[in-house]
Amino acid sequence: MNLVSSSNRVLYPYARRGDVFSETTWSNALNDIATELRKIVKVYGGSSIAFIGCSQCSNEENYLIQKLARFLGSNNIDNCARLCHAISVDVLAKSLGFGAQTNPFSDLLYSKAILIIGYNPVATHPPLAALILEAKKRGAKIIVVDVRRSETAELADIFIQVSRPGEDYKLLLCMANIIISSGLYDKGFVLRMTEGFEEFYQIAKLYDISRCEELGVEKSLVEEAAKEFALAGCGSILWGMGVTQHVTAWNNVSAIVNLALLLGYIGRRGCGLYPVRGQSNVQGACDMGALPNYLPGYIRVEDDHKRKLFQNVWNIDNIPSEPGYTSIEVFEKALKGDIRALFIIGENPVISHPNSAIVRKALQNIELVVVHEIRWSETTQYANYVLPVAARIEKEGSYTSSERRVQWSYKVLDPPEKALPDWVIIERLGRMIGLSNWREYGSVEDITVEISSVVPIYRGITPQKLKENENGVIWPCKNGECISRLYQNGFETPSGKAMFSKIVNKEKEMVNKRGYLTLTTYRSGLCYNTSLCIDNNADVAIINRFDAKTMGIDNGDLIEVETECGKEMFYARTDDKVPRG
């Protein structure tokens, strides 16, 4: 199915009348939405309104979405990074300064060791996997940690298969313990460039090599991996959803960053941290402040001085100083009546968010649900208004890749019928609401210019510069120079030093309350979001063949998988690529 030419394409603005959607005009739709928003803000305040931005939208569109939220007095703005790398953004920003990948992908060719955790680039990012394979040919040791023996695991020099998903931090702490006790850590770097080592060391001491047995991993294998990675002298770490989609995500990412700090594997060619992104503009959406706790450029909303700078630039009285609700919390709060209006831009949370039952109930409990969409989806059926939007190739704007590379995307086709770019819709809506000092933009380039002037890390990245550089411009740019490798001359923290992140006790959350199998998910290279899937294995549940035999399940059986969040039917596939349990 092609999203652009799909017969399921939303072509006109629609308003719900009872249980039926009726076609309407843009003027009527936006006027009605603006009227309802004014009423809701007047009665319940700006904090009763929430926005879910879009990682498939341009930087300019996400910038305007979060700007509208703040003009309405709400920090309840989030994007799909909440379901993938929002934790990575937080840990990296607090520890190092920026919530972003530290090095360009090309640096992997100079790594002497590459540690890949909970991530399968062979299936999901083949061009990146080719770089890793080339690094291996040049002598790099490849270490893979995963629950499943993935395609990437087949390339590994050392493969560590953990049997308890989400507890990667314990394995990494065991590795840190081995490295410290063997005297293999970079003492000079730790002393000169970091803070909080002693506190981290007290935690790492608790994870001697015997703790690895809890994870069902051979002690000798962990010791080999730890020493190989430390003795390499320069290494990189890549991670994905297998690390972040857990209640222990903070610990997992913290342990990754701490391991890199321990060895001084930051700020050099071949030494870097790679929280590899999935959608085309997850990085850009986060950079633009489509997050409840950050303004554009990773300015924390609690930072009074910098928050007031944005207030002055935008000429508004007050941006809330408290972080807003995450997209997960928005649905929980909606059930309690705390969220009265919700804008969903290009996302399908009924399918993509955890616990669909809660999402459906929440959507039914919200007074005003506005969905910007290319196609009719499981979420649009709960909307009060469905607004047709242009696809990426039907509009212009800038996008930012995992390696902080900002590139201009050109319009190839005209949008069909009444579809409009998201930025046009948001800009018009702001005017119709009657927001004081809301700016009128004549083109998407006008927004890019504003971003380059007010977002510190995008300073100087103008439309002209992007159009002149086919390969894009990497942020940040300082004194006319774009910095592809972060932290070469210190860290972007108040002290100029990196902070070892705290590891918190999560033992209680990891208890399997029901005592059955543990469910973990993985990405298929032939499925994209909730829209495109050409993979016949999309509806398959993989079970260890011994577990399957115990439960009387044969390969190919149709089975029902039930959790506390719901249930679904799958075809069973039995193999040894997942461990027992």
Side-chain angles (χ1 to χ4, degrees):
M1 178 182 67
N2 185 304
L3 282 181
V4 174
S5 60
S6 169
S7 59
N8 200 31
R9 185 88 191 249
V10 180
L11 299 173
Y12 306 95
Y14 285 89
R16 180 187 293 281
R17 302 288 182 254
D19 293 330
V20 179
F21 282 109
S22 299
E23 185 181 324
T24 186
T25 65
W26 272 113
S27 179
N28 287 341
L30 294 180
N31 185 63
D32 290 348
I33 292 168
T35 300
E36 291 190 52
L37 276 176
R38 283 194 296 268
K39 290 178 182 176
I40 289 170
V41 171
K42 185 176 181 179
V43 175
Y44 302 104
S47 62
S48 67
I49 300 171
F51 293 77
I52 299 179
C54 182
S55 297
Q56 300 172 70
C57 285
S58 67
N59 290 323
E60 292 75 15
E61 289 166 330
N62 279 293
Y63 175 81
L64 268 200
I65 292 163
Q66 64 81 33
K67 185 176 180 180
L68 178 61
R70 268 90 196 206
F71 264 66
L72 289 167
S74 176
N75 278 332
N76 301 329
I77 166 70
D78 210 349
N79 74 89
C80 78
R82 185 61 47 199
L83 309 177
C84 53
H85 277 300
I87 288 289
S88 301
V89 168
D90 275 349
V91 175
L92 288 166
K94 288 178 180 177
S95 182
L96 310 179
F98 295 127
Q101 184 172 307
T102 61
N103 296 49
F105 287 123
S106 58
D107 266 16
L108 290 168
L109 295 174
Y110 302 94
S111 295
K112 300 302 180 184
I114 300 175
L115 176 58
I116 304 170
I117 310 177
Y119 171 52
N120 184 18
V122 171
T124 55
H125 293 103
L128 180 53
L131 272 179
I132 294 168
L133 189 57
E134 179 61 28
K136 179 181 171 74
K137 290 177 181 177
R138 294 186 180 196
K141 292 290 185 182
I142 310 299
I143 304 165
V144 175
V145 179
D146 212 326
V147 176
R148 175 174 161 265
R149 181 175 283 278
S150 66
E151 295 87 343
T152 302
E154 301 297 335
L155 302 179
D157 295 289
I158 302 172
F159 172 51
I160 299 177
Q161 187 170 30
V162 292
S163 59
R164 288 168 58 172
E167 299 192 40
D168 306 84
Y169 74 95
K170 293 182 179 179
L171 174 69
L172 293 166
L173 286 171
C174 285
M175 291 176 65
N177 183 305
I178 293 165
I179 290 166
I180 295 170
S181 60
S182 302
L184 298 177
Y185 71 105
D186 190 333
K187 298 181 182 69
F189 179 87
V190 169
L191 185 64
R192 292 191 321 274
M193 301 302 298
T194 73
E195 297 175 341
F197 168 73
E198 282 302 324
E199 187 174 354
F200 170 66
Y201 178 43
Q202 295 307 313
I203 295 294
K205 280 200 300 188
L206 302 176
Y207 288 83
D208 61 70
I209 192 68
S210 63
R211 293 291 298 271
C212 294
E213 292 178 345
E214 297 177 13
L215 305 177
V217 178
E218 292 180 21
K219 293 186 289 186
S220 60
L221 200 59
V222 180
E223 188 168 11
E224 181 187 4
K227 290 183 177 179
E228 283 281 7
F229 195 61
L231 291 170
C234 195
S236 296
I237 309 177
L238 297 85
W239 69 97
M241 305 304 93
V243 165
T244 60
Q245 289 184 337
H246 296 281
V247 293
T248 55
W250 176 271
N251 282 357
N252 292 337
V253 178
S254 294
I256 288 171
V257 176
N258 289 352
L259 184 62
L261 291 177
L262 192 62
L263 296 168
Y265 285 178
I266 294 179
R268 293 186 282 145
R269 187 175 73 170
C271 297
L273 291 165
Y274 296 81
V276 188
R277 305 297 196 166
Q279 293 191 46
S280 57
N281 205 30
V282 183
Q283 186 64 53
C286 295
D287 295 347
M288 292 300 106
L291 293 167
N293 51 342
Y294 292 104
L295 292 165
Y298 302 102
I299 305 300
R300 296 197 67 85
V301 297
E302 305 98 322
D303 188 324
D304 290 339
H305 173 67
K306 292 182 179 178
R307 189 183 66 257
K308 287 175 182 176
L309 291 178
F310 273 94
Q311 289 175 188
N312 293 336
V313 169
W314 290 340
N315 200 15
I316 58 176
D317 293 332
N318 186 47
I319 297 171
S321 60
E322 293 293 321
Y325 299 134
T326 67
S327 63
I328 305 297
E329 292 170 331
V330 161
F331 294 108
E332 294 170 350
K333 295 295 182 180
L335 287 174
K336 300 176 181 178
D338 295 334
I339 297 296
R340 298 286 174 160
L342 173 63
F343 282 74
I344 302 172
I345 293 93
E347 297 294 336
N348 188 13
V350 167
I351 297 299
S352 61
H353 270 58
N355 204 328
S356 292
I358 284 180
V359 174
R360 292 177 192 273
K361 289 178 183 177
L363 289 171
Q364 291 171 319
N365 204 43
I366 299 173
E367 291 178 25
L368 175 64
V369 177
V370 180
V371 178
H372 294 214
E373 255 299 0
I374 292 175
R375 68 182 188 101
W376 295 96
S377 70
E378 291 82 359
T379 299
T380 55
Q381 64 181 296
Y382 294 95
N384 299 100
Y385 296 90
V386 179
L387 307 180
V389 295
R392 176 169 176 170
I393 63 172
E394 298 165 351
K395 59 187 177 182
E396 294 203 5
S398 65
Y399 293 76
T400 306
S401 73
S402 286
E403 56 182 0
R404 295 174 281 110
R405 188 182 301 276
V406 189
Q407 292 177 285
W408 193 259
S409 180
Y410 290 92
K411 179 179 174 181
V412 177
L413 302 171
D414 288 327
E417 301 298 341
K418 299 298 182 180
L420 292 173
D422 292 274
W423 74 265
V424 173
I425 301 169
I426 295 294
E427 190 268 344
R428 287 185 186 176
L429 181 61
R431 282 190 280 125
M432 284 195 165
I433 295 170
L435 295 171
S436 179
N437 297 316
W438 179 256
R439 181 181 169 186
E440 183 175 344
Y441 300 90
S443 68
V444 70
E445 286 90 346
D446 287 348
I447 308 171
T448 318
V449 170
E450 180 171 316
I451 292 169
S452 72
S453 65
V454 303
V455 181
I457 58 176
Y458 276 64
R459 193 145 288 151
I461 303 181
T462 62
Q464 181 181 358
K465 193 167 188 177
L466 290 173
K467 291 176 182 180
E468 288 173 351
N469 290 273
E470 186 178 334
N471 292 324
V473 178
I474 293 178
W475 69 257
C477 294
K478 293 184 179 179
N479 302 319
E481 179 186 359
C482 294
I483 302 168
S484 63
R485 194 175 299 118
L486 294 175
Y487 315 125
Q488 295 178 81
N489 300 305
F491 296 91
E492 297 291 331
T493 58
S495 67
K497 294 185 177 183
M499 288 291 301
F500 277 89
S501 294
K502 293 181 180 180
I503 307 292
V504 295
N505 187 352
K506 286 285 183 179
E507 295 293 337
K508 292 181 180 178
E509 288 91 333
M510 291 306 297
V511 174
N512 187 337
K513 298 176 183 177
R514 304 184 71 174
Y516 299 151
L517 300 175
T518 298
L519 173 66
T520 185
T521 61
Y522 73 100
R523 273 184 169 159
S524 164
L526 297 177
C527 282
Y528 183 70
N529 296 340
T530 67
S531 305
L532 291 170
C533 196
I534 52 175
D535 186 355
N536 293 328
N537 297 324
D539 54 354
V540 163
I542 304 173
I543 310 169
N544 180 278
R545 60 190 179 93
F546 292 107
D547 286 334
K549 185 176 181 181
T550 300
M551 300 173 72
I553 297 172
D554 291 326
N555 196 49
D557 282 355
L558 186 63
I559 61 172
E560 183 177 77
V561 177
E562 182 178 1
T563 75
E564 293 177 348
C565 296
K567 56 187 176 182
E568 190 59 75
M569 302 299 293
F570 296 94
Y571 289 100
R573 184 202 293 166
T574 63
D575 65 25
D576 295 327
K577 291 185 177 180
V578 292
R580 298 202 68 172

